[in-house]
Amino acid sequence: MKKLINNPNDVVRESLQGMAIAHPDLIKVNLDPHFIYRADAPIKNKVAIISGGGSGHEPMHGGFVGMGMLDAACPGEIFTSPTPDQMLEAAKVVNSGAGVLNIVKNYSGDVMNFEMATELALSENIRVLNILIDDDVAVKDSLFTQGRRGVGTTVLAEKICGAAAEAGYDLKQIADLCRKVNLNGRSMGMALTSCTTPAKGSPTFELDNDEIEFGIGIHGEPGRERMAMTSVDEIVEMLAINIIEDVGYSRIVREWDEVKGEWQEVELIDLPFEHGDRLLAFVNSMGGTPISELYIVYRKLAEICEQKGLKIMRNLIGHYITSLEMQGCSITLLKLDDELIKFWDAPVKTAALRWGI
Amino acid sequence: MKKLINNPNDVVRESLQGMAIAHPDLIKVNLDPHFIYRADAPIKNKVAIISGGGSGHEPMHGGFVGMGMLDAACPGEIFTSPTPDQMLEAAKVVNSGAGVLNIVKNYSGDVMNFEMATELALSENIRVLNILIDDDVAVKDSLFTQGRRGVGTTVLAEKICGAAAEAGYDLKQIADLCRKVNLNGRSMGMALTSCTTPAKGSPTFELDNDEIEFGIGIHGEPGRERMAMTSVDEIVEMLAINIIEDVGYSRIVREWDEVKGEWQEVELIDLPFEHGDRLLAFVNSMGGTPISELYIVYRKLAEICEQKGLKIMRNLIGHYITSLEMQGCSITLLKLDDELIKFWDAPVKTAALRWGI
């Protein structure tokens, strides 16, 4: 294994220390338990937004902490869920009294630990709501999930909800907005190569020189199918059609009911993409795929959307939710309305996303 | 070879087409000859700034076209110099009458073709000056250069000169500024892995599982030394010390003399980094190295600079001048003064760098 690291056990801590030194105007880093938070937190009267998950997906989530996006991010070890004490301590630091929204990617460990952290925070009189992101159409249940996995839509939800929090939305409104983003966003990814975690030191999985993993998970977990390598145009066609035609997915999720003071099971159903819809198209590198190839992906994706009568109004193209050095890409499509466009366009100032300021 | 491409011959064109579709608010793309230019070019009374070079280093240079940075970028085929007709046609489109500065990385093909394009433009009554960037301390002469290679300082020069052009500097002032950036900026890189060009289809060079290429070039050309893999802290120490201690490099460059109407040979000498100096520290991924590792690089770099009494005032950390999917990093240090800080901080709106707007 060759990586720009010292001891594999120190990777997450040293990377966080580097971030803290690089961006003192934006963020502070707490170690033990690990969390990154806005340098100016808590922001008076503003709902705080927290996300987190295993490390190895950078810049998500730590690179998204700052004005107009996250108040805090809780990084676990690489590809490992963060623990409830990280989320609880982060909530204590960033909560201004207006409450905390946790944006949780649907992986069993993340879900369990964010629920536990929610109960701990509630017991300390911090208002908390959790919203799940489960947008990956590749597999319905997987190695680390019940139901679909949470991937690219998370980045978009963090941007949009962060802007809504700046605009003065209250906790319930932001939770509703986040749920809406999830029900309107769908993703799928593929891998050309595996990645290697520092702890294991060898590739997470093996792919032959003429094979791809279609529907890959962001931890290298199996996708839908191992298939023969083909052209990017065919790959994009398969990803896009799977995303666009995945209609009406229904799941039961647990959300905290503030009135009843207990977890409720709620049925949520995806909304379709239909002719004439406005979209945000997000083309993401899994890490090792260069940006030049992402634009070739985008070229074909735009053509397919046009053929389907889907209007791409906004896009995001780059390295945003990665799997270490894995080569491959993911596509996320998010159906937009005026509210989502307004919050997408709002100013943001983080290490990884910055505009308008 | 597995890449997200169709036909290897179409990679550059299709990537440019994707960029044009993705960013119509920022750029337009001309095909045959290939160049990317500001959607609002020419900008009245503003000096136009053009750069270019082989493709495969994205987002450089096309990702830097827009307000506050480049007016046009001329991409060659992958790792191949662009041709004079690209630069000439780009100059015709973006020249407002205030003249054109070509920022040229020091590779023999680029230098020759930019000089030829300069003469062609002059014969069409377009004022043009060329400034060379030759900041790579790794090797004095190399496979593709006489003298040092041009690498990371190019990105910084494009940002700083772009801001100066927006601020109303004239052509001579911007050329002087660009030369100053070059004489105050130095870089060095290293590779953990090779990259594969689509045309060749196999790795540009071979590295064993326990080897690194120290002083790598951005086309995979040999560096200073092939050495055993070691910790990131040791790698950063070696890169930083080589950069900081490379003092007083002298070279003869050819610059166009507008008064005499001919090329002049000019001796230029690097300025040293000294205790108390203010720096911009730029940590760059060669493509496949994830951002989490770049922050571990930055952590050590900041420590070394502090020990040397060098004050990092600004930084840039990410994928900016790459070699396809190569794993590794480069470090660039630029000595700052008030003028450079002002122009670094000025607004920029491009596909790859954006702030203040």
Side-chain angles (χ1 to χ4, degrees):
Chain A
M1 173 182 62
K2 290 189 287 187
K3 289 177 179 288
L4 294 175
I5 63 173
N6 294 302
N7 186 322
N9 295 327
D10 297 333
V11 167
V12 172
R13 182 178 52 79
E14 291 185 354
S15 187
L16 291 174
Q17 289 172 329
M19 282 200 78
I21 299 166
H23 307 296
D25 53 324
L26 294 175
I27 58 166
K28 292 181 180 169
V29 169
N30 191 82
L31 297 178
D32 303 316
H34 294 351
F35 59 93
I36 300 172
Y37 61 104
R38 273 180 71 161
D40 55 354
I43 314 298
K44 199 175 168 186
N45 297 327
K46 193 185 82 70
V47 172
I49 301 183
I50 297 179
S51 193
S55 293
H57 309 300
E58 289 73 20
M60 187 183 79
H61 301 270
F64 302 141
V65 175
M67 199 289 294
M69 215 159 165
L70 297 179
D71 292 82
C74 304
E77 287 300 311
I78 289 181
F79 296 171
T80 303
S81 296
T83 51
D85 61 318
Q86 293 176 258
M87 301 140 187
L88 175 64
E89 294 305 316
K92 286 184 192 171
V93 168
V94 300
N95 177 42
S96 67
V100 175
L101 177 73
N102 289 328
I103 300 181
V104 184
K105 298 195 305 301
N106 189 38
Y107 297 97
S108 302
D110 290 14
V111 173
M112 186 177 70
N113 289 346
F114 265 109
E115 286 191 1
M116 206 177 299
T118 298
E119 293 175 9
L120 292 169
L122 289 166
S123 73
E124 302 209 21
N125 293 316
I126 300 172
R127 273 184 76 192
V128 182
L129 292 176
N130 286 2
I131 294 291
L132 282 193
I133 305 293
D134 58 350
D135 61 317
D136 185 348
V137 304
V139 287
K140 299 306 183 221
D141 293 298
S142 76
L143 207 53
F144 304 124
T145 30
Q146 292 195 309
R148 298 196 313 205
R149 302 174 295 212
V151 288
T153 299
T154 314
V155 177
L156 312 181
E158 292 176 6
K159 169 69 185 78
I160 289 166
C161 293
E166 299 287 345
Y169 271 38
D170 69 22
L171 180 57
K172 177 75 168 48
Q173 290 174 311
I174 297 180
D176 290 344
L177 179 66
C178 191
R179 193 186 304 105
K180 180 171 100 172
V181 171
N182 188 43
L183 296 181
N184 283 287
R186 283 189 282 289
S187 301
M188 193 162 179
M190 55 75 59
L192 296 168
T193 64
S194 180
C195 58
T196 296
T197 62
K200 180 157 182 271
S202 60
T204 304
F205 60 98
E206 296 290 343
L207 271 180
D208 278 350
N209 281 337
D210 56 356
E211 276 184 335
I212 63 175
E213 182 76 32
F214 184 68
I216 190 77
I218 57 172
H219 311 95
E221 64 269 38
R224 192 181 289 187
E225 193 179 346
R226 188 154 296 193
M227 55 172 61
M229 181 62 193
T230 181
S231 70
V232 64
D233 280 2
E234 285 190 49
I235 289 169
V236 173
E237 177 109 25
M238 288 189 291
L239 291 173
I241 297 303
N242 270 287
I243 292 168
I244 293 168
E245 296 187 350
D246 191 278
V247 173
Y249 173 69
S250 165
R251 73 289 235 174
I252 307 291
V253 303
R254 276 158 58 91
E255 292 190 1
W256 182 257
D257 186 314
E258 293 195 291
V259 179
K260 294 185 182 164
E262 59 184 33
W263 295 99
Q264 294 289 311
E265 299 208 327
V266 186
E267 183 183 12
L268 299 176
I269 301 174
D270 272 13
L271 297 168
F273 299 126
E274 291 172 324
H275 194 279
D277 278 349
R278 295 175 293 173
L279 296 185
L280 188 157
F282 171 24
V283 174
N284 174 63
S285 172
M286 299 304 279
T289 279
I291 198 161
S292 51
E293 295 177 25
L294 300 183
Y295 280 109
I296 303 180
V297 169
Y298 186 80
R299 173 182 174 274
K300 182 65 182 177
L301 178 62
E303 181 189 305
I304 294 166
C305 287
E306 189 172 353
Q307 285 167 355
K308 297 267 178 193
L310 299 166
K311 298 176 200 162
I312 300 179
M313 307 293 290
R314 298 291 185 276
N315 60 58
L316 182 69
I317 300 164
H319 300 67
Y320 294 103
I321 167 171
T322 62
S323 300
L324 297 169
E325 74 284 2
M326 181 188 288
Q327 289 177 38
C329 73
S330 66
I331 291 172
T332 299
L333 297 178
L334 172 66
K335 180 172 166 174
L336 293 170
D337 60 18
D338 290 345
E339 183 187 40
L340 300 192
I341 291 174
K342 178 179 74 177
F343 289 133
W344 179 257
D345 289 346
V348 61
K349 188 175 180 181
T350 69
L353 268 192
R354 183 170 170 184
W355 57 70
I357 198 160
Chain B
M1 174 183 61
K2 290 189 289 186
K3 289 176 178 289
L4 293 174
I5 64 174
N6 294 301
N7 185 322
N9 296 326
D10 298 333
V11 167
V12 172
R13 182 178 51 79
E14 291 185 353
S15 188
L16 290 174
Q17 289 172 328
M19 281 200 79
I21 300 166
H23 307 297
D25 53 324
L26 294 176
I27 58 166
K28 291 181 181 170
V29 169
N30 191 83
L31 298 177
D32 304 317
H34 294 351
F35 59 93
I36 300 172
Y37 60 104
R38 273 179 71 159
D40 54 354
I43 315 298
K44 199 175 169 187
N45 297 327
K46 193 186 81 71
V47 172
I49 302 182
I50 297 180
S51 193
S55 293
H57 308 301
E58 289 72 19
M60 185 183 80
H61 301 271
F64 302 142
V65 175
M67 199 288 295
M69 215 159 165
L70 296 179
D71 292 81
C74 304
E77 286 301 309
I78 289 181
F79 296 171
T80 302
S81 296
T83 51
D85 61 317
Q86 294 176 257
M87 300 142 188
L88 174 64
E89 294 306 315
K92 287 183 192 172
V93 168
V94 300
N95 177 42
S96 68
V100 174
L101 177 73
N102 289 328
I103 300 180
V104 184
K105 299 195 304 300
N106 189 38
Y107 297 97
S108 302
D110 291 14
V111 173
M112 185 178 71
N113 290 345
F114 266 108
E115 286 190 3
M116 204 176 299
T118 298
E119 293 175 10
L120 292 169
L122 288 166
S123 73
E124 302 209 21
N125 294 316
I126 300 173
R127 273 184 76 193
V128 181
L129 293 177
N130 286 2
I131 293 292
L132 281 193
I133 305 291
D134 59 350
D135 61 317
D136 185 347
V137 303
V139 287
K140 299 307 182 216
D141 293 298
S142 77
L143 208 53
F144 304 124
T145 32
Q146 292 194 309
R148 297 195 314 203
R149 302 174 296 212
V151 288
T153 299
T154 315
V155 178
L156 312 182
E158 292 175 6
K159 170 68 185 78
I160 287 166
C161 294
E166 299 288 346
Y169 271 37
D170 69 22
L171 180 57
K172 178 73 169 51
Q173 289 173 313
I174 296 180
D176 290 344
L177 178 66
C178 191
R179 194 187 304 103
K180 179 170 100 172
V181 171
N182 187 43
L183 297 181
N184 283 287
R186 283 189 284 288
S187 302
M188 193 164 179
M190 55 77 58
L192 296 168
T193 64
S194 181
C195 59
T196 296
T197 63
K200 181 159 182 271
S202 60
T204 303
F205 60 98
E206 296 291 342
L207 271 181
D208 278 350
N209 281 336
D210 55 356
E211 276 183 335
I212 62 175
E213 182 76 31
F214 184 68
I216 189 78
I218 57 171
H219 311 95
E221 66 269 39
R224 193 182 287 185
E225 192 180 345
R226 187 153 297 192
M227 56 172 60
M229 180 62 193
T230 181
S231 70
V232 64
D233 280 2
E234 286 191 48
I235 289 168
V236 173
E237 177 108 24
M238 288 188 291
L239 291 173
I241 296 304
N242 271 287
I243 293 168
I244 293 168
E245 296 187 349
D246 191 279
V247 173
Y249 174 69
S250 165
R251 73 289 236 176
I252 307 291
V253 303
R254 276 159 58 91
E255 293 190 1
W256 183 257
D257 186 313
E258 294 195 292
V259 179
K260 295 184 182 163
E262 59 184 35
W263 295 98
Q264 294 290 310
E265 298 208 327
V266 186
E267 183 184 13
L268 299 176
I269 301 174
D270 272 13
L271 298 168
F273 299 127
E274 292 171 322
H275 194 279
D277 278 350
R278 295 175 293 173
L279 296 184
L280 188 157
F282 171 23
V283 175
N284 174 63
S285 172
M286 299 303 280
T289 280
I291 197 159
S292 51
E293 294 177 26
L294 300 184
Y295 280 109
I296 303 180
V297 169
Y298 187 80
R299 172 183 175 274
K300 182 65 181 175
L301 178 62
E303 181 190 305
I304 294 166
C305 287
E306 189 173 353
Q307 286 165 355
K308 298 268 177 191
L310 299 166
K311 297 176 200 164
I312 301 179
M313 307 294 290
R314 298 290 185 275
N315 60 57
L316 183 68
I317 300 165
H319 300 67
Y320 294 102
I321 168 171
T322 62
S323 301
L324 297 169
E325 74 284 2
M326 182 189 287
Q327 290 177 36
C329 72
S330 66
I331 292 173
T332 299
L333 297 178
L334 172 67
K335 179 173 165 174
L336 294 170
D337 60 18
D338 291 345
E339 183 187 40
L340 300 192
I341 291 174
K342 178 179 74 178
F343 290 135
W344 180 257
D345 289 346
V348 61
K349 187 175 181 180
T350 69
L353 267 192
R354 183 170 169 183
W355 58 71
I357 199 160

